Structures are given as C-alpha cells and as structure tokens.
Amino acid sequence: MGPVTRRRGMVQPTTTDQRLLDSPQGPTEWVHQDPWRVMRIQSEFVEGFGTLAELPPAISVFGSARIPVGSEDYEHGVRVGRALAEAGFAVITGGGPGAMEAANKGACEAGGVSVGLGIELPFEQGLNEYVDIGVNFRYFFVRKTMFVKYARGFVVLPGGLGTLDELFEALTLVQTRKVTRFPIVLFGTSYWKGLVDWVESTLIGSGRAAEKDLELFHLTDDVDEAVALVSKETGQN
C-alpha cells in the first residue's frame, strides 16, 4: 500500500483510492487529527514561501501590539519603518496593531514594501491597514520561520512576551550558527537596558553565556544608527 507493506492479518480489504473516492456520511473528527494537521502545516509553509520568495532584501521589525497610536514609541516605529524603506529594505512585521502597525505605516508611506505576517489568536485584531502583502498563519512556528528566512536582520522595538520570544529565538539561532549571522538591533536603550544588564551580570556573570554573546546585538536610540547597523552588516548600502 504505497510505501507501506502489509501481509497476512494486516492486509486491509479496501484500496486507498477506494477509501478516497467513497463518500460515506460519518464522523468528521479526522479533520482535527495530527495527520491532517501535517497537511495544513505543509500548506502554510508553501503559501508563505510562495508569497515571500520574491521580496527585496527585508528587515523584520518586532514590537508590542499594545503601543498606542500617537505615543512616542509609536512614532519611533513609524520612523524606523520609513527609514528602512528609504534604505531599500522591505519591512516585515507581525501585521498587528501597535509597534507593528507603526513600522508598516512608515514603510507604506515611504513607498516601500510593507509586509504583515499575522497569527490566529483569540484576541488582537487582524492585519493592520498599512500591510500591502499579508499572510495569516495558524501555527506560530511556521510564522517564525518566515520572519527569519526572508529577513536579513531584526530591529526590535519595545515589546512584551511575544517580542521577547522572537528576540531570544533570533539570538539563539545566531549564537548556535543555525543561521548565517545577521544584525539584531534593540531600539530604545531605556527600555532594554535592564534586560541587557541582566544578561551581562547574571547570564554571563554566572557562566551560562559567553562574554562574546554581547556582540550578538546592538543597542541604540537613533533611527539612523539602527538602519546603518543593519545596512552595514547585510551589505545593503
């Protein structure tokens, strides 16, 4: 039966084609079982790869969905998105509100490519209005693959648990050389300083990370410096 060999008491009385083409009325639980989920996962990878494969060089921008419109952090996000677009980068965000919307807005208003990779959640609305190319995902791990595969660097705005998850995954991928090194810029020194101090004093101080791991990221408050850092390390001038 395809790649599977069945003999003796394991032989099934019907063929695979027969079971496919027959349409009996019965339970539908199978659409929620793991073999079917594999197909959904595969389809999400195919959709993401097909949609994003022809993007220009891109930078993924992370940040909180809870940053209010008009706040200083929101305006920083707009400036970052605009500057990245003007430097020739597509801007990829999670497609939601807050800092993500801000970066998409800046890229969109600058005439750049504004991308949103949404996720199915029981809260937080869908893609923001500044997304020009949007893909919605069911599975976090598929979405996170797209953030990494199609980006040449990360700019991380102040954010919450989701932002920290994305940040530390990026740091881990670079540190373990699972990906070719790319720049990771933390924007907002007052916000990130406590975390950086903890990494230096506790993680590195206790021997659970190496001193050189501090070189995996840059810390800045300057939009132009953030763009210069990702441009320099990615060769985009």
Side-chain angles (χ1 to χ4, degrees):
M1 300 183 63
V4 179
T5 298
R6 291 181 178 271
R7 292 174 177 159
R8 292 175 284 279
M10 295 295 102
V11 174
Q12 295 181 348
T14 60
T15 67
T16 303
D17 279 340
Q18 183 180 354
R19 291 193 298 275
L20 171 65
L21 296 173
D22 284 349
S23 301
Q25 297 298 318
T28 59
E29 289 86 354
W30 60 274
V31 300
H32 303 293
Q33 295 174 354
D34 287 345
W36 183 250
R37 289 191 180 103
V38 170
M39 300 302 292
R40 283 182 170 169
I41 292 166
Q42 181 182 32
S43 72
E44 290 204 347
F45 275 114
V46 170
E47 192 68 42
F49 291 159
T51 302
L52 304 176
E54 296 183 351
L55 284 181
I59 299 296
S60 288
V61 180
F62 300 128
S64 174
R66 302 181 185 185
I67 291 174
V69 175
S71 66
E72 183 178 25
D73 284 338
Y74 187 94
E75 294 306 316
H76 285 156
V78 173
R79 291 176 56 208
V80 167
R82 180 183 298 118
L84 288 171
E86 290 173 347
F89 291 106
V91 173
I92 303 174
T93 78
M100 295 174 281
E101 177 186 299
N104 284 133
K105 179 180 179 181
C108 182
E109 291 180 345
V113 179
S114 176
V115 181
L117 306 181
I119 185 68
E120 178 183 276
L121 292 175
F123 53 88
E124 294 178 6
Q125 56 271 36
L127 297 177
N128 66 69
E129 63 179 303
Y130 300 103
V131 169
D132 297 321
I133 301 174
V135 185
N136 278 302
F137 296 93
R138 288 186 178 93
Y139 300 100
F140 263 117
F141 59 89
V142 180
R143 178 186 186 229
K144 289 162 80 173
T145 299
M146 302 302 156
F147 279 133
V148 174
K149 180 171 176 58
Y150 293 103
R152 298 193 178 183
F154 289 164
V155 175
V156 189
L157 303 172
L161 294 178
T163 303
L164 290 173
D165 174 49
E166 290 152 348
L167 166 62
F168 277 100
E169 179 169 30
L171 290 170
T172 301
L173 289 172
V174 177
Q175 189 229 37
T176 57
R177 299 183 184 177
K178 287 294 186 180
V179 296
T180 303
R181 180 187 172 92
F182 53 79
I184 300 169
V185 178
L186 305 182
F187 189 90
T189 55
S190 63
Y191 188 84
W192 294 113
K193 187 177 185 302
L195 176 63
V196 174
D197 288 346
W198 177 79
V199 168
E200 187 169 10
S201 63
T202 303
L203 279 187
I204 296 174
S206 64
R208 289 168 173 80
E211 185 75 27
K212 66 179 181 180
D213 290 334
L214 289 173
E215 300 173 6
L216 297 176
F217 58 87
H218 309 278
L219 189 61
T220 185
D221 287 315
D222 185 86
V223 171
D224 292 334
E225 182 181 16
V227 175
L229 286 167
V230 294
S231 298
K232 178 182 178 181
E233 291 201 28
T234 60
Q236 183 83 356
N237 295 314

